[in-house]
Amino acid sequence: MRLFSFFVLSLLFVSCSSAPKRVMLVTDNTNLAYSRLEEADASIVSGKYDRAYNQLSSAFNLALSVDNPALLCKITLSGIVLKISNPELDKAQDESEGAVEQNESFLSVSKEELLVLAKKLAGRSSEQKNLSNLCSVYDVRIQLENEKNLSDGRISSENMKAYLSSLEKAKPALSKEPFYLAYLYRTFGDVCMAGGKYSDAQIYYSEAAKIHTKERYLMEIGLDWYCVARAYSQGGNKKAAVDAILTALKYDRDAENTRGIASDYMAYSRILLKGNVTKEEKALSDELCAWSEKILKAGKF
């Protein structure tokens, strides 16, 4: 009897000690916020700005509810990209499904104020150093866009050097963040384009495309190749520009990015009109332009 009792107690002890441990970290809201952030980034690239506004606002509220300053910082930085992509978008349209009221969204302020907020959030995060360097990339982006708006898209050589220097300093901190490293390279390219350094811009855009392709950021790849095509075109390499825009078209089709596809066709149309233009190129250019318009109408843009 004693032996039986000992056996039973031993079984109970083993069953209790092998029970699964209680979870000490819950990430439900954090994971959902990250998902909304990725969706918003894709919406910005595809030109669905109202949707991106709502997705970012939702992501911010989710991250705020669990007090995650690192995630809040990244969401705020994407808000800057949204503001730059569509400066007129100060709030979600009232008729948009699930629209967020302006006074409920962190996006109701300017891109400069968003940067101030992002820097504060970076300072509160355990990833302060890396996030502060990331903020400096978006600081360059804001300065670049503001200068371009005041000077017909061009920047001074002095400012170009300053922007490139700031980006170079931030680069080491982003080496383990593929998405942001690719954005860094794209910003390098945009600075070079605005400074007339088209060959350098093409190289940077190509680096961004390599990272996005390796990491399978499908929605971003078409934009990278569109930028490559633009750099080749501005640099006078018509053939390479056509090859690049056809690559952009391939990836935008794969991503079902209506706005990207239409933009690719329009860019292709304009590239064909560069330099010495044949009758065949002129006819194809007109055809591509008309097709681009049809695609936009089909997508209700």
Side-chain angles (χ1 to χ4, degrees):
M1 186 66 180
R2 290 179 180 177
L3 182 61
F4 177 75
S5 298
F6 177 77
F7 179 71
V8 171
L9 289 172
S10 297
L11 286 177
L12 288 172
F13 177 78
V14 171
S15 63
C16 290
S17 63
S18 61
K21 295 183 182 296
R22 292 182 180 86
V23 175
M24 292 296 288
L25 180 65
V26 178
T27 59
D28 294 346
N29 282 347
T30 298
N31 291 340
L32 183 55
Y34 267 115
S35 178
R36 295 272 169 82
L37 173 58
E38 284 203 6
E39 290 170 358
D41 289 333
S43 293
I44 294 171
V45 174
S46 61
K48 298 173 182 175
Y49 300 126
D50 283 355
R51 181 182 297 180
Y53 185 104
N54 291 326
Q55 289 165 333
L56 285 176
S57 298
S58 175
F60 190 91
N61 288 338
L62 285 165
L64 180 59
S65 72
V66 294
D67 191 29
N68 189 327
L71 179 52
L72 285 166
C73 177
K74 292 177 179 180
I75 295 168
T76 303
L77 294 175
S78 284
I80 293 174
V81 178
L82 175 60
K83 290 279 183 176
I84 290 173
S85 300
N86 186 8
E88 301 303 316
L89 184 63
D90 289 328
K91 62 179 179 179
Q93 298 299 319
D94 292 336
E95 64 271 18
S96 298
E97 183 178 353
V100 178
E101 294 295 333
Q102 183 177 6
N103 60 1
E104 294 179 352
S105 175
F106 75 105
L107 289 165
S108 60
V109 300
S110 69
K111 60 184 183 294
E112 287 81 7
E113 290 172 296
L114 287 177
L115 180 63
V116 172
L117 174 59
K119 289 179 178 179
K120 287 182 179 179
L121 291 166
R124 290 188 51 231
S125 168
S126 59
E127 305 170 39
Q128 179 178 358
K129 182 178 179 181
N130 288 349
L131 288 176
S132 294
N133 277 283
L134 181 59
C135 286
S136 70
V137 176
Y138 289 78
D139 193 357
V140 168
R141 171 63 67 180
I142 290 174
Q143 294 182 60
L144 173 64
E145 295 302 321
N146 288 344
E147 184 175 357
K148 283 165 60 180
N149 289 336
L150 293 173
S151 57
D152 297 325
R154 298 304 297 268
I155 60 175
S156 68
S157 58
E158 181 180 353
N159 285 346
M160 182 180 70
K161 291 178 182 178
Y163 297 151
L164 293 176
S165 176
S166 294
L167 294 174
E168 199 63 49
K169 289 178 182 177
K171 185 177 176 181
L174 306 181
S175 60
K176 295 182 180 180
E177 293 264 17
F179 181 83
Y180 293 108
L181 182 60
Y183 187 76
L184 172 76
Y185 279 122
R186 190 184 286 167
T187 304
F188 264 121
D190 288 345
V191 170
C192 290
M193 284 294 292
K197 302 291 184 180
Y198 305 123
S199 295
D200 291 342
Q202 178 268 314
I203 293 171
Y204 285 125
Y205 290 140
S206 296
E207 287 299 315
K210 289 178 184 177
I211 295 171
H212 283 139
T213 303
K214 180 181 178 182
E215 301 297 328
R216 305 176 74 84
Y217 286 105
L218 182 59
M219 190 64 75
E220 302 284 345
I221 305 170
L223 178 56
D224 293 329
W225 281 102
Y226 177 94
C227 292
V228 171
R230 180 166 167 260
Y232 274 129
S233 179
Q234 291 294 321
N237 193 334
K238 187 173 181 177
K239 182 181 183 304
V242 169
D243 290 342
I245 204 62
L246 289 175
T247 303
L249 183 58
K250 182 268 183 196
Y251 282 110
D252 280 326
R253 281 173 174 160
D254 289 348
E256 293 192 346
N257 182 358
T258 299
R259 182 172 177 264
I261 294 169
S263 297
D264 295 337
Y265 275 118
M266 182 59 70
Y268 190 2
S269 172
R270 292 174 177 173
I271 290 168
L272 290 173
L273 299 180
K274 292 276 187 175
N276 297 322
V277 183
T278 65
K279 289 182 179 180
E280 290 78 12
E281 287 176 327
K282 178 63 170 65
L284 179 56
S285 175
D286 292 342
E287 182 181 334
L288 294 172
C289 185
W291 191 247
S292 173
E293 184 177 354
K294 288 182 178 180
I295 291 172
L296 286 175
K297 286 182 178 179
K300 298 181 180 180
F301 279 87

